[in-house]
Structure formats: C-alpha cells, structure tokens
Amino acid sequence: MIRTITLAFLAALPLGLCANQEVEAFMNMLEPDRKFSSYQELVEHYQQWFTTRYAEVEADLCAATHKNLDQLVQERAVLRKEYSQPYRLEVFDVASPRFERLLKETLKDFGVKRKIKIYASSITGYAAAYLDFIIVNEWRMSRYSDDVIKAVFAHELQHILFEDCLDSDHLSYQDHQEQTPRCRHMQLAELRADVFSFLKSPTYAAAVKDYFDPKWPHSPYDIHASDAQRAIIAKTICKQLVSVLPLYKRLAWHAIHAARSLKTTLGRQMTVLWGRWKGKQPKVPYTLLML
Ligand SMILES: [Zn+2]
C-alpha cells in the first residue's frame, strides 16, 4: 500500500513540477566535449536540431488544434498585422542614447540591415521584442555592462528575426501543467532565441553569465529555461565557439578572459575587504564590478 502511494507520488512529481520539456530535450542533446571542424558546422548542428524539433512540435500543434500548418501561419500573420498598428507604440518612451547605441552595435554584429526601433518602458521584465521593435526597462538594465545589454538585445533580436514574438500570448496554467504543444512551441522559441544569440560569438555567449544567476529560483510556469540551465547552455556554446576559432584568436580570447576573471576576483576581494573595514556586509552589487 505504502509502496503504491510512494510510486503514485513519484509518478506525479514530474507533472507537478511541469519541467520545461523542450529545454530538457535540448540539454540532453548538448555535448560539451564534441569537436566541430568549423563555425559553420557548429551553427548547422544547432539549426538542424531546431528545424527537426520545430517540425515535430508544430505537427503536434496541428493535431491538437485540428488545423493545418497553413492555417496556423495565416493566423499568426493576422495577429502580426493587428499588432503593427501605430497607436500601440504611443505608450512607450524614447530610449536613452546609451541603449540606442548598444542596439545599433548589436544589429551591426548580427549583420541586420533593416530598421529596428527601441523604446523605453517600465515593463515587468528586462526587455521584450515585438514585430520590429524592442522595449527595454532602462531602470533595470542600466546597471549591467554594455556586453550584457547587447546580449539581451541579441536574444530579443532573434524573436524579431524568427517572427515568433507574438506567439507567446495566452498560455494557461493547464498548458504548462500538461506541457501542451502550444506551451512547448513557445518554450522552443525562447530556447532558440537564447541559442542563436549565443552562437554569434564567444563574447555574446560569455556576457550572459553575468546576467543569469544560477541561484535564482525558477518558476515552472516560465517558458524560458531556468537561469541555471541558460548559464550551462551559454557556457557550453561559448566553449564550442572558442574551439573553432583560429589559433591566434583563441589565444587572444583566453588572455582577455584570464584578465577579466582576475579583475573580477580582485574586485570581489576588494569589496569584501571594504565591507569588513566598514564593519558590515558588502553592499556593492556583484555586476557593478564587471564593468
Ligand atoms: Zn525571449
């Protein structure tokens, strides 16, 4: 009897926690020690995984909604048109020059020629993407280094380029609980935005480690990977990117990184000493030392 109850409890656990199935599938496929012969091969490896996975999830989505893929694409196009009405932008403020400049630099790095605007707003998160513009919470973002802000913009940019920004509306509690195709479709979009922003260069992949806090609690109803998972994915991709660099660039990368981590360690030690001298716990946010 007790064993049955225990088994039933254990069986219910994964459902109760409703783990992000797409992130788990991706993490199972990640091979930190895999060697790639070129940058192209590395990028194609991830492109292939997302293409296959998207096809599977979209097939599930079609079956669940009794619609074919054309109908789903059409519905998204209607939604995009609706959202592109100019009156929707009136609620936002003009972004400050620092954020304008950082977005411009990000677009240049990604070779994006089209016009993508940026607005400031007190949104709950840090940044969000819509059809062809990004909204940033400047108050929250301003404490981060330029590299971190560019990495966040790079994530948002992927949503614009893959045109998936409007798919993330209206997920119910049950969608998460049951990991429905709709929920998994959105999880994939978030994961893809992470992976393809990291894949740009080791600088982009490494920057986010200052942004994600592995100790940050993760809501099972969040379609993003947890901070801990995002940090692992970024670290793995960074390592793979560095391994395909030509030798001199690889050496330069390691030298810059060694200098940076030394600076961080020293900075942290100084903060601790300063805190002790003042007779209280250090209050300087860790990220400020990364600048
Ligand atoms: Zn996102």
Side-chain angles (χ1 to χ4, degrees):
M1 178 67 182
I2 289 172
R3 191 186 288 174
T4 319
I5 293 170
T6 317
L7 278 177
F9 176 72
L10 284 177
L13 251 184
L15 243 185
L17 290 172
C18 66
N20 186 322
Q21 277 187 15
E22 297 312 306
V23 172
E24 288 200 345
F26 183 83
M27 303 275 289
N28 286 337
M29 171 281 287
L30 261 187
E31 300 159 282
D33 298 317
R34 178 169 171 173
K35 293 273 172 282
F36 293 91
S37 59
S38 64
Y39 175 71
Q40 180 133 354
E41 193 199 319
L42 170 58
V43 173
E44 276 170 7
H45 166 72
Y46 288 108
Q47 266 167 349
Q48 187 96 51
W49 188 85
F50 277 97
T51 309
T52 313
R53 195 77 188 176
Y54 254 97
E56 288 165 5
V57 174
E58 289 206 308
D60 288 351
L61 194 61
C62 289
T65 53
H66 308 292
K67 286 171 188 163
N68 61 40
L69 202 54
D70 281 346
Q71 284 169 298
L72 289 180
V73 170
Q74 202 112 44
E75 277 179 16
R76 284 176 208 153
V78 171
L79 203 60
R80 262 197 286 280
K81 206 167 173 191
E82 203 178 294
Y83 267 79
S84 61
Q85 301 300 319
Y87 68 86
R88 289 187 181 268
L89 300 176
E90 283 168 14
V91 290
F92 305 125
D93 297 321
V94 177
S96 61
R98 181 186 179 209
F99 289 90
E100 288 266 8
R101 170 178 62 82
L102 292 174
L103 177 62
K104 235 179 238 166
E105 286 178 24
T106 313
L107 294 177
K108 199 175 162 215
D109 290 347
F110 279 79
V112 176
K113 297 264 168 30
R114 63 193 257 206
K115 181 135 184 71
I116 289 170
K117 284 164 280 182
I118 179 165
Y119 296 95
S121 174
S122 53
I123 47 167
T124 41
Y126 285 82
Y130 283 89
L131 297 157
D132 57 355
F133 61 94
I134 287 172
I135 308 167
V136 60
N137 183 329
E138 293 193 349
W139 181 77
R140 280 186 155 198
M141 289 291 286
S142 56
R143 69 191 175 102
Y144 290 104
S145 69
D146 284 5
D147 278 354
V148 172
I149 295 173
K150 282 170 71 176
V152 171
F153 286 166
H155 172 104
E156 300 307 336
L157 180 63
Q158 302 312 307
H159 286 312
I160 294 175
L161 298 177
F162 285 112
E163 300 191 335
D164 60 27
C165 342
L166 298 178
D167 299 349
S168 56
D169 279 343
H170 323 302
L171 265 189
S172 70
Y173 176 81
Q174 208 162 0
D175 278 319
H176 290 283
Q177 280 288 337
E178 292 170 7
Q179 292 282 296
T180 57
R182 248 160 55 81
C183 179
R184 288 191 286 122
H185 193 246
M186 292 172 202
Q187 291 169 348
L188 265 184
E190 285 308 333
L191 187 59
R192 180 171 61 181
D194 275 346
V195 171
F196 285 90
S197 59
F198 302 159
L199 279 172
K200 182 68 229 165
S201 73
T203 314
Y204 277 92
V208 292
K209 84 176 191 315
D210 302 342
Y211 177 66
F212 298 138
D213 178 0
K215 292 191 286 300
W216 189 251
H218 185 67
S219 159
Y221 302 105
D222 186 346
I223 49 171
H224 299 86
S226 69
D227 273 23
Q229 287 167 325
R230 291 171 109 176
I232 293 171
I233 297 170
K235 198 177 159 194
T236 307
I237 291 180
C238 184
K239 191 178 157 194
Q240 291 171 337
L241 285 169
V242 172
S243 76
V244 294
L245 286 176
L247 183 65
Y248 73 97
K249 281 195 178 171
R250 214 181 314 156
L251 291 174
W253 169 261
H254 287 303
I256 292 165
H257 253 248
R260 265 191 69 143
S261 46
L262 183 69
K263 193 180 147 200
T264 314
T265 316
L266 281 175
R268 236 186 266 156
Q269 287 305 321
M270 294 295 283
T271 317
V272 171
L273 287 174
W274 172 252
R276 274 194 201 142
W277 185 63
K278 297 274 281 183
K280 54 185 178 192
Q281 284 297 304
K283 283 268 164 57
V284 181
Y286 161 64
T287 36
L288 273 183
L289 302 166
M290 308 299 295
L291 297 173

